[in-house]
Amino acid sequence: MRTEHISLLPGSIGRQYELSILHFGNENAGQKIYIQAALHADELPGALVCYHLREQLLALEAANRLNAHIVLVPMANPIGSAQTLHHNISGRFDLATGRNYNRLTIDLHTLVQPILSEQANALASDAAANVRAIRQAMRQALAQYRPIDAVGILHHTLMQLAFDADVVLDLHCDHHAHMYLYTLSGLWPVIEPLARYSGSTCQLMADESPANGFDEALNMPWLKLQRDFPAANIP
């Protein structure tokens, strides 16, 4: 396991936030899996899941049984984690702006589409080559993007960690709820085994909502690029 620490720009004078990222397996493997928890910083069961998952991944890594690069971010929101009021974490909304931490302002599709449009032969019939081209355009767009506040910097940093992953799991929770999954309709055949393995009793699927949560900010660009380039074979 490799532990990475990323310093986020201070939200105010004299304050610094740090994001801790755990890397497992071969970081040059062909597949990448990204898992984060507690983007809503007061939703802690996901962080507890990551605590136990860390121990299991360490054991699998020691046994040389990992065939993917797995990125684990147990506490994805150090800004919200620091928002304590009367001994209670208030981590769902940014107290300075009122923004929901799971409502991103980054529109990756809008950033990427012009880059791909300028490359006339970037996308064709080869799905794997298209994935590489799109991810390269995403990498370029995110490198050029400049967030303007602390929450934007957090979202930008997390997206840079996750945009090129083959699997992204964003762990949330509720006060009292059955286990459920939320994903795109077209992804259900891929996600269905996860629903069974995790004991999910409710599956929520939508192609687009106005929320632009973390998962949608990553998967919606692919769906929109399919519409932008109908002749290309885009997974």
Side-chain angles (χ1 to χ4, degrees), residues 20-154:
S20 297
I21 303 101
L22 309 180
H23 297 266
F24 300 87
N26 180 1
E27 297 186 26
N28 295 315
Q31 186 179 45
K32 178 180 176 180
I33 298 171
Y34 177 86
I35 304 171
Q36 72 175 24
L39 182 56
H40 285 142
D42 52 5
E43 297 180 353
L44 294 179
L48 179 60
V49 168
C50 289
Y51 172 83
H52 292 288
L53 183 58
R54 173 185 178 275
E55 299 304 310
Q56 295 176 5
L57 290 173
L58 282 172
L60 289 170
E61 187 176 53
N64 197 30
R65 293 179 59 193
L66 293 181
N67 59 3
H69 175 205
I70 301 177
V71 181
L72 185 64
V73 186
M75 294 292 292
N77 185 359
I79 303 173
S81 300
Q83 294 180 166
T84 302
L85 181 64
H86 297 161
H87 303 289
N88 292 313
I89 297 177
S90 179
R92 186 176 185 85
F93 300 95
D94 175 38
L95 294 183
T97 63
R99 287 173 57 187
N100 186 319
Y101 281 114
N102 197 31
R103 300 293 182 267
L104 278 65
T105 57
I106 301 176
D107 185 345
L108 190 52
H109 169 257
T110 299
L111 298 176
V112 167
Q113 202 273 347
I115 297 174
L116 293 171
S117 295
E118 291 176 357
Q119 303 170 6
N121 299 319
L123 304 176
S125 61
D126 188 333
N130 291 341
V131 169
R132 290 192 295 270
I134 291 170
R135 286 178 174 168
Q136 179 56 38
M138 289 180 172
R139 180 177 290 105
Q140 177 183 338
L142 288 170
Q144 294 172 348
Y145 183 80
R146 294 294 179 266
I148 61 174
D149 57 22
V151 179
I153 292 168
L154 173 66

Side-chain angles (χ1 to χ4, degrees), residues 7-12 15-17 150 153:
S7 294
L8 305 175
L9 290 178
S12 62
R15 181 171 294 179
Q16 185 74 37
Y17 303 105
I153 292 168

Side-chain angles (χ1 to χ4, degrees), residues 154-201:
L154 173 66
H155 290 159
H156 182 231
T157 302
L158 294 174
M159 288 193 73
Q160 286 182 301
L161 291 168
F163 80 92
D164 59 347
D166 301 285
V167 178
V168 174
L169 300 179
D170 186 21
L171 308 185
H172 288 262
C173 73
D174 213 322
H175 295 292
H176 302 281
H178 288 276
M179 179 67 184
Y180 67 92
L181 295 177
Y182 174 69
T183 188
L184 291 176
S185 302
L187 285 177
W188 174 242
V190 178
I191 297 298
E192 189 270 342
L194 178 62
R196 287 186 286 109
Y197 296 152
S198 61
S200 176
T201 59

